[in-house]
Amino acid sequence: MPKYLVSIIGPTAIGKTALSIMLANYFKTEIISADSRQFFKEMSIGTAAPSKEELAAAKHHFIHHKSIHDHYSVGAFEKDALYCLENLFKIHDVVIMVGGSGLYVDAVIYGLDDFPEVDADIRQTLNTQLETNGLPFLQNQLKELDAVAYNTIAIDNPHRVIRALEICMGTGQPYSSFLNKKNIHRNFKTISIGLTAERETIYHRINQRVDMMMQQGLLDEVKNLFTFKDLNALNTVGYKELFNYLEGIWTLDFAISEIKKNSRRFAKRQLTWFKKNEDTLWFDYSTHAEIIIEACEAQININ
């Protein structure tokens, strides 16, 4: 019998975690997280990591398994996730994957793309420009050179922006033109389930989640990480804004409003990325789990 990876995708705060647990319980299986922010054990509240109750409801993998001090790349995650799946498929016919990090989801399903080597001096120049002119300067460059990448990558992550720019500048071709070129065979079939909602609903849910994070103690979590604010893992929505508050640059109310705004922007990029997969079965976030389970069963029976 073929093995199936049910991949649950969608924008932040849409309800992916709850659905993944329902599906894991139905199929009596386990969950792989493909949320790159939830890998780090020091970041819990601000990444909306599954609660203790949710972790107890179904076995999860790749939640808080790394430290913010560890270097952990998407390539390393691909390797680790495939090894984990290989072992899980010895026991289960179906495994659930859930996460909003499009690059990490695609790495497991399709494999990473190959990029040509470019002159190392280009990256050095871009790093200098980042220090001198700031991230918005590089973002504007990328917008001019590759609008597709600008609208889909984590535009607030300087490492991602520099990576895209160095490919554009080193090859003379858009970074996005090198994406999705690999045709890698996987020993499992993927059923992609997308959750979505009207934009106003998504934004309302994001605003509610940010308010809830603050009530749960996000500010204290960020205070405890302030010493390490320059680490790449902490260049993340929800943390960088509160670092600005702690440094006296912003008021607390403004920092919270910026978290909400940047989370909404992130959700928009997530949807743009995930909509590229034409095989995804999309459902309104309010759809009963039973209907989504039936759709998964139908896909399994077709194959």
Side-chain angles (χ1 to χ4, degrees):
M1 177 179 176
K3 303 297 182 178
Y4 289 89
L5 179 67
V6 178
S7 173
I8 302 172
I9 58 175
T12 186
I14 199 67
K16 298 185 295 296
T17 297
L19 177 63
S20 70
I21 292 171
M22 291 180 193
L23 265 62
N25 289 334
Y26 174 81
F27 287 108
K28 296 180 173 58
T29 189
E30 301 177 22
I31 298 171
I32 283 181
S33 173
D35 189 316
S36 64
R37 302 193 309 163
Q38 294 178 359
F39 296 157
F40 303 108
K41 59 188 176 184
E42 298 90 347
M43 302 164 64
S44 181
I45 298 173
T47 63
S51 65
K52 291 181 179 179
E53 293 76 18
E54 289 171 327
L55 291 173
K59 187 170 182 180
H60 288 68
H61 301 266
F62 306 106
I63 296 288
H64 295 166
H65 71 302
K66 292 291 180 182
S67 167
I68 56 174
H69 303 286
D70 297 329
H71 173 71
Y72 196 56
S73 67
V74 63
F77 171 71
E78 178 192 14
K79 181 180 178 181
D80 291 346
L82 291 175
Y83 179 76
C84 183
L85 283 172
E86 181 181 351
N87 289 311
L88 289 177
F89 281 135
K90 293 176 181 177
I91 308 169
H92 307 284
D93 292 326
V94 177
V95 175
I96 311 300
M97 181 168 71
V98 60
S101 302
L103 184 63
Y104 288 73
V105 171
D106 286 0
V108 174
I109 298 173
Y110 307 112
L112 291 172
D113 294 289
D114 285 322
F115 293 95
E117 292 291 328
V118 297
D119 192 333
D121 288 342
I122 296 176
R123 173 170 290 193
Q124 183 58 51
T125 298
L126 291 170
N127 281 324
T128 300
Q129 289 179 349
L130 175 64
E131 294 176 9
T132 305
N133 303 317
L135 182 58
F137 178 80
L138 297 183
Q139 291 171 336
N140 288 331
Q141 281 193 65
L142 183 59
K143 189 174 186 179
E144 292 179 6
L145 294 174
D146 188 352
V148 174
Y150 176 84
N151 287 313
T152 54
I153 70 168
I155 201 69
D156 295 323
N157 186 325
H159 298 278
R160 296 278 175 83
V161 173
I162 287 174
R163 178 57 176 158
L165 273 174
E166 70 177 357
I167 295 296
C168 292
M169 298 168 70
T171 66
Q173 300 178 55
Y175 169 83
S176 57
S177 68
F178 293 96
L179 298 176
N180 305 318
K181 297 297 184 182
K182 268 194 172 182
N183 186 19
I184 289 181
H185 173 72
R186 296 298 195 210
N187 294 321
F188 54 83
K189 296 184 177 182
T190 299
I191 300 171
S192 183
I193 302 295
L195 292 183
T196 189
E198 295 293 330
R199 180 175 296 182
E200 293 75 14
T201 300
I202 294 173
Y203 289 177
H204 177 66
R205 289 175 66 87
I206 288 172
N207 292 341
Q208 282 187 316
R209 170 176 280 185
V210 173
D211 289 336
M212 185 179 299
M213 286 176 173
M214 294 303 298
Q215 292 170 12
Q216 292 171 338
L218 177 58
L219 182 56
D220 287 334
E221 181 172 89
V222 174
K223 284 180 180 178
N224 291 332
L225 296 171
F226 184 76
T227 305
F228 314 111
K229 63 185 177 63
D230 293 326
L231 291 177
N232 183 48
L234 291 169
N235 184 40
T236 298
V237 176
Y239 294 83
K240 58 185 182 180
E241 294 87 355
L242 289 177
F243 288 146
N244 280 343
Y245 161 67
L246 294 174
E247 290 182 294
I249 299 172
W250 291 346
T251 65
L252 181 58
D253 285 345
F254 184 74
I256 294 171
S257 70
E258 286 295 292
I259 295 174
K260 293 177 179 178
K261 182 184 76 175
N262 290 330
S263 295
R264 294 192 296 266
R265 288 178 173 174
F266 177 56
K268 184 179 179 181
R269 291 196 302 274
Q270 286 176 303
L271 284 170
T272 300
W273 182 288
F274 290 132
K275 289 289 186 180
K276 295 184 300 181
N277 182 3
E278 297 178 355
D279 295 328
T280 297
L281 304 175
W282 287 97
F283 296 90
D284 185 82
Y285 80 105
S286 63
T287 303
H288 289 295
E290 291 81 2
I291 295 175
I292 297 175
I293 288 170
E294 288 177 5
C296 292
E297 290 280 20
Q299 289 292 307
I300 292 171
N301 292 332
I302 287 174
N303 296 315

